[in-house]
Amino acid sequence: MPETSESPAPPTPADLMDQLARVAAAYYRRFAAAATVHGLTLMQGKMLSLLRGPRPMRTLADLLGCDASNVTGIVDRLEARDLVRRETDPADRRIKNVVLTEEGERTVRLIRSELLSDPTTLEQLDEDDRRTFGALLDRVFPAPTA
């Protein structure tokens, strides 16, 4: 009888969630280590990385999955280190936006550079693979609208 090469069964959604949890945990361990080099906690580093432009504090709380009062404390500590500043929103003076300072931008670049320096990072993917991976992530975890 000839040998048949059956492909393995596709992973179940539960298998994929387990894999995603493992990958997320590994990523955040590496991210926390990179943030620590710069005297930051994981949450402080995450907040800096979310600031690609001015963001209201409420939006940051939603993105970080924490209470707005926690964001206030994180912003206070980052502001004391001159990594962020608060600005009044020009459209609604009641809203305070958080903005990276030059030092904050430099710190984010350094953290990202450290994360990408590992040979097992996303840098090993070619353009087509990165495009496909990004599209799959967007499909499964659409970016929040705000």
Side-chain angles (χ1 to χ4, degrees):
M1 231 178 175
E3 282 188 31
T4 61
S5 61
E6 292 184 32
S7 58
T12 66
D15 293 337
L16 291 174
M17 288 305 290
D18 289 347
Q19 186 177 9
L20 183 60
R22 182 182 53 76
V23 169
Y27 171 78
Y28 280 117
R29 275 193 305 274
R30 289 183 49 230
F31 191 99
T36 299
V37 168
H38 300 281
L40 300 170
T41 66
L42 172 63
M43 289 301 276
Q44 290 169 341
K46 283 172 68 174
M47 180 177 291
L48 288 179
S49 71
L50 292 171
L51 291 172
R52 295 187 183 253
R55 292 213 190 239
M57 292 185 55
R58 174 79 254 162
T59 300
L60 288 169
D62 291 343
L63 290 170
L64 292 170
C66 66
D67 190 75
S69 63
N70 292 346
V71 169
T72 299
I74 294 168
V75 171
D76 287 346
R77 288 185 288 283
L78 293 173
E79 197 171 37
R81 293 192 47 199
D82 193 35
L83 297 173
V84 300
R85 69 179 176 275
R86 290 175 172 99
E87 293 180 349
T88 303
D89 189 303
D92 186 342
R93 299 189 54 76
R94 297 170 295 176
I95 297 174
K96 294 292 183 197
N97 287 322
V98 181
V99 180
L100 284 175
T101 62
E102 281 186 37
E103 184 63 19
E105 289 175 4
R106 186 182 76 74
T107 301
V108 169
R109 279 193 308 274
L110 289 170
I111 290 171
R112 286 191 181 125
S113 173
E114 289 165 27
L115 289 172
L116 291 172
S117 69
D118 187 318
T120 64
T121 65
L122 300 173
E123 289 287 310
Q124 67 183 326
L125 300 176
D126 65 27
E127 285 184 22
D128 288 338
D129 286 342
R130 287 195 310 267
R131 216 176 265 114
T132 300
F133 187 55
L136 287 170
L137 288 173
D138 281 343
R139 221 167 101 200
V140 178
F141 300 102
T145 55

